[in-house]
Amino acid sequence: MMAPTTDSAGNTEDAATARASLETLRTEIAKAVVGQDPAVTGLVVALLCRGHVLLEGVPGVAKTLLVRALASALELDTKRVQFTPDLMPSDVTGSLVYDTRTAEFSFQPGPVFTNLLLADEINRTPPKTQSSLLEAMEERQVTVDGTPRPLPEPFLVAATQNPVEYEGTYPLPEAQLDRFLLKLTIPLPSREDEIDVLTRHASGFDPRDLHAAGVRPVAGPADLEAARAAVAETTVSPEITAYVVDICRATRQSPSLTLGVSPRGATALLAAARAWAWLTGRDYVTPDDVKALALPALRHRVQLRPEAEMEGVTADSVINSVLAQVPVPR
């Protein structure tokens, strides 16, 4: 076997350093957020795949704090938009402003021009404003007055939403849901974790001051770039590709669903499984990697039949049933 060239050896070393840096994120974010390791992992996977994340949970489970802590630990620029019923699309993307001194219009960038956009309670704003994010999420640019303007790199939308049963919410349209790589559910903490949260607050923890909480940058854009290059080299066998396709096709035949997973969803599942495989230290994808990412990658891409929903069937239970039925490659 030939020895690696200097460049390939250097790339391998950069990838190993990047993996080690990203692995420390959990420890760093845990200084501010208690017991949300799966959500942290999901956000890192999305960054590696250049995807976006939808965070769902009841109010008060630290969804916003989680995103702010991630931005702090990765030394990324972040902006927050509180989505409200009267928010206009230009409040997100920016608009042309008339300058009386020059008698010309100039573009005033909106909060979307950042590395990590926290779209807080995205389902509290009408669909017109929700859709203002579509171009930014898909094309990584914003077009105002016919002029496309590229967004910074890296760019990730982390949108939080309350469960749709809550009053004053507008369900996201299917086209926008499909643009999110992952949908992560943020559960209520366990009794032990909740005691830990209250103990921290009693000791003076201020969620608005992450620096005082000890959150420090442990990785940066260069680490993300090296990690993405390594993920792109992670091997995907034809059997794994076929397994992902079989899972997604099976959802389209489920009697409990009116809408199954699209080809874009299959691509998202494969990309997420690839990133997870690399994060766990392997240069190839296994069926277990696909299973581990199936729920967050697919749960928001299926639509339940009303009668199934009335019987207590959930998107997660349908996907788990599909995973149990589709033959696993050996």
Side-chain angles (χ1 to χ4, degrees):
M1 183 180 290
M2 293 179 63
T5 63
T6 304
D7 284 349
S8 64
N11 290 341
T12 302
E13 188 176 331
D14 289 345
T17 303
R19 184 190 283 121
S21 298
L22 292 174
E23 282 173 353
T24 61
L25 275 177
R26 286 192 187 91
T27 307
E28 204 61 27
I29 293 174
K31 294 177 182 177
V33 182
V34 177
Q36 297 293 358
D37 279 358
V40 173
T41 301
L43 285 163
V44 173
V45 165
L47 280 167
L48 294 181
C49 298
R50 302 179 87 241
H52 308 285
V53 175
L54 186 62
L55 301 167
E56 184 177 270
V58 298
V61 289
K63 300 186 294 291
T64 304
L65 180 60
L66 174 63
V67 175
R68 288 180 51 240
L70 177 73
S72 225
L74 285 173
E75 212 168 7
L76 295 176
D77 181 47
T78 182
K79 290 188 175 69
R80 175 180 177 272
V81 178
Q82 180 66 49
F83 280 71
T84 56
D86 60 349
L87 193 75
M88 299 297 291
S90 58
D91 296 330
V92 178
T93 60
S95 58
L96 294 175
V97 178
Y98 184 71
D99 190 334
T100 54
R101 291 172 299 177
T102 61
E104 292 180 350
F105 284 95
S106 61
F107 178 66
Q108 185 67 38
V112 75
F113 286 85
T114 186
N115 295 126
L116 204 163
L117 176 68
L118 175 57
D120 226 348
E121 295 189 302
I122 191 173
N123 59 337
R124 285 204 181 277
T125 200
K128 180 180 179 181
T129 305
Q130 291 175 2
S131 65
S132 67
L133 279 177
L134 275 177
E135 183 188 14
M137 293 170 68
E138 188 69 18
E139 307 295 335
R140 296 177 182 273
Q141 67 177 25
V142 167
T143 302
V144 176
D145 197 34
T147 304
R149 294 173 169 84
L151 295 171
E153 184 62 40
F155 173 69
L156 177 142
V157 174
T160 71
Q161 71 169 9
N162 298 325
V164 292
E165 295 81 9
Y166 274 59
E167 189 151 344
T169 59
Y170 300 81
L172 293 175
E174 289 80 6
Q176 183 155 5
L177 282 172
D178 212 27
R179 261 61 176 194
F180 286 98
L181 179 80
L182 304 175
K183 178 183 176 181
L184 306 174
T185 55
I186 310 296
L188 288 165
S190 65
R191 181 174 183 273
E192 292 73 19
D193 285 344
E194 196 163 0
I195 289 172
D196 191 1
V197 170
L198 266 63
T199 302
R200 290 186 184 196
H201 279 266
S203 302
F205 171 71
D206 182 358
R208 289 170 291 276
D209 190 352
L210 294 176
H211 186 78
V215 179
R216 301 287 184 270
V218 294
D223 295 302
L224 285 175
E225 198 57 42
R228 285 172 175 175
V231 169
E233 298 297 320
T234 302
T235 304
V236 179
S237 69
E239 292 78 14
I240 292 295
T241 304
Y243 182 50
V244 170
V245 169
D246 289 344
I247 290 171
C248 295
R249 290 179 67 84
T251 65
R252 299 170 205 162
Q253 297 163 3
S254 170
S256 298
L257 301 177
T258 57
L259 180 69
V261 178
S262 69
R264 182 191 282 127
T267 304
L269 174 55
L270 185 59
R274 207 176 188 186
W276 171 245
W278 178 82
L279 274 174
T280 53
R282 279 177 285 101
D283 61 358
Y284 59 91
V285 182
T286 69
D288 285 342
D289 298 325
V290 176
K291 289 180 179 180
L293 272 298
L295 286 178
L298 304 181
R299 59 164 58 110
H300 56 298
R301 303 175 193 274
V302 299
Q303 196 171 77
L304 291 166
R305 292 187 183 277
E307 55 270 29
E309 206 165 358
M310 288 175 64
E311 292 171 3
V313 176
T314 65
D316 283 13
S317 65
V318 172
I319 294 167
N320 280 327
S321 175
V322 165
L323 290 174
Q325 293 169 10
V326 173
V328 180
R330 299 298 175 192

